[in-house]
Amino acid sequence: MATTNNVTELIFTGLFQDPEVQRVCFVVFLPVYVATVVGNGLIVLMVKVSKSLHSPMYFFLSYLSLVEISYSSTVVPKFITDLLAKIKTISLEGCVAQIFFFHFFGVTEILLLVVMAYDRYVAICKPLHYTTIMSRPVCHHLVAGSWFGGFFHSIIQILITIRLPFCGSNVIDHYFCDLEPLFKLACTDTSVEGLIVLANSGLIALCSFLLLVSSYIVILVNLRNHSSEGRRKALSTCASHITVVMLFFGPAIFLYMRPPSTFTEDKLVAMFYTVVTPMLNPIIYTLRNAEVKIAMRRLWGKKENSGME
């Protein structure tokens, strides 16, 4: 990259320009990030140590939480430290690395949500064959496929980016590195690259979202044949999944399924799905799931007993 670019360092404009507002954001977003890591980390720990959470649904949930931690950590620590910096800089190589991991974990999360919807479909629509279809090897293959899909998607984005020459402005109008803001700095026409990114990112998000909506419609239709107690339990689980899907896909489709723009609200929408949504997921799954709440109480009970000893 150094042989084709005069630009070696990039400057973020940040989320807000007012230093006072930035300090307030630091005080707000630091606890949010800590809550994201702790909340999702607790879910990973609970699924690992609790015997009641060894079903495929919780197996996938633990990997979703692990991806949430990684996804948030790609952007948020740098964003938080930049809130206290006068000049917010990042190397060009660091910017490309951030784009790679941001899209890698983002698409991995999308595919895991699709896998979790498939798991619920099999559990509700084909309960007699559930243990056969969702065997442990199959679960491992589905998780591995999600990681591979995220990696393949991100590699395509990076191969597009590293071919571009950067020889003019080095100011990114954002608070982290993403493709469209970086494309605006390239000293060449990026319309073709923009269309490829739109197809690669936008269509993955849209197709996955439509697949998820279709699967949950089929699930809801099949619930008519279940008992009232079975419907209540299945609806409670599906409601958590649907809430997480809407929180993640809504902003993603808004940003990636339309032409590039200079809308200021793009930053606020991006802030929601990079900072806020990863924190909400463990809260949503915990509040609406009795088994997770029981496992959490048992985990805290063990810690208290070990502390007393």
Side-chain angles (χ1 to χ4, degrees):
M1 293 177 65
T3 58
T4 59
N5 299 305
N6 296 328
V7 175
T8 59
E9 188 176 66
L10 302 170
I11 300 174
F12 295 127
T13 58
L15 188 60
F16 301 106
Q17 304 300 317
D18 190 332
E20 286 297 324
V21 175
Q22 292 188 59
R23 282 192 282 269
V24 171
C25 288
F26 176 84
V27 173
V28 172
F29 292 140
L30 180 59
V32 169
Y33 176 65
V34 172
T36 297
V37 175
V38 172
N40 285 287
L42 278 174
I43 288 181
V44 174
L45 180 62
M46 281 190 301
V47 172
K48 188 171 183 62
V49 302
S50 177
K51 294 180 180 179
S52 62
L53 301 181
H54 281 178
S55 67
M57 181 178 74
Y58 297 112
F59 175 77
F60 297 134
L61 178 58
S62 68
Y63 276 97
L64 180 69
S65 295
L66 182 62
V67 170
E68 288 283 21
I69 294 172
S70 305
Y71 177 73
S72 182
S73 298
T74 301
V75 173
V76 180
K78 170 67 175 167
F79 164 58
I80 291 174
T81 54
D82 280 348
L83 288 170
L84 300 180
K86 289 185 178 180
I87 302 177
K88 307 164 180 44
T89 61
I90 188 172
S91 67
L92 185 57
E93 290 80 6
C95 182
V96 172
Q98 189 177 63
I99 290 173
F100 172 81
F101 287 109
F102 178 71
H103 283 266
F104 172 41
F105 293 122
V107 171
T108 301
E109 178 171 354
I110 287 175
L111 297 177
L112 279 174
L113 289 172
V114 173
V115 166
M116 292 175 74
Y118 175 69
D119 171 70
R120 290 300 84 204
Y121 164 77
V122 175
I124 294 170
C125 301
K126 300 182 178 181
L128 298 179
H129 304 284
Y130 179 70
T131 54
T132 303
I133 296 174
M134 300 304 295
S135 63
R136 185 60 62 166
V138 170
C139 292
H140 280 103
H141 289 150
L142 289 172
V143 169
S146 299
W147 286 97
F148 177 78
F151 178 81
F152 183 72
H153 159 83
S154 197
I155 281 292
I156 293 175
Q157 308 289 57
I158 295 304
L159 290 176
I160 294 171
T161 304
I162 61 175
R163 294 174 57 251
L164 296 175
F166 298 96
C167 50
S169 172
N170 68 333
V171 179
I172 292 185
D173 186 20
H174 217 311
Y175 66 89
F176 71 97
C177 283
D178 203 359
L179 291 164
E180 291 300 342
L182 185 62
F183 282 2
K184 293 176 182 178
L185 305 185
C187 46
T188 186
D189 179 42
T190 59
S191 55
V192 174
E193 287 81 0
L195 287 174
I196 295 173
V197 167
L198 181 65
N200 194 17
S201 297
L203 291 181
I204 285 177
L206 182 62
C207 293
S208 298
F209 180 72
L210 293 176
L211 184 62
L212 285 163
V213 171
S214 301
S215 66
Y216 284 119
I217 289 174
V218 173
I219 288 171
L220 292 174
V221 170
N222 274 270
L223 282 177
R224 293 182 303 175
N225 302 323
H226 288 63
S227 64
S228 57
E229 177 62 22
R231 282 198 300 270
R232 186 197 63 78
K233 190 172 181 180
L235 283 172
S236 177
T237 303
C238 290
S240 300
H241 293 181
I242 293 171
T243 303
V244 170
V245 166
M246 295 304 296
L247 286 172
F248 185 87
F249 280 90
I253 291 175
F254 172 80
L255 287 179
Y256 292 105
M257 281 304 296
R258 59 183 177 80
S261 69
T262 56
F263 295 156
T264 305
E265 57 264 27
D266 282 11
K267 293 182 186 179
L268 298 176
V269 173
M271 181 196 67
F272 183 79
Y273 71 77
T274 56
V275 181
V276 180
T277 300
M279 179 198 68
L280 295 178
N281 286 0
I283 297 174
I284 293 167
Y285 282 112
T286 302
L287 291 179
R288 298 194 62 87
N289 193 299
E291 289 180 323
V292 174
K293 287 189 282 190
I294 291 170
M296 184 172 286
R297 283 196 292 267
R298 288 175 177 171
L299 181 63
W300 283 115
K302 287 180 180 180
K303 287 186 176 181
E304 290 176 0
N305 292 335
S306 61
M308 291 175 64
E309 292 173 0

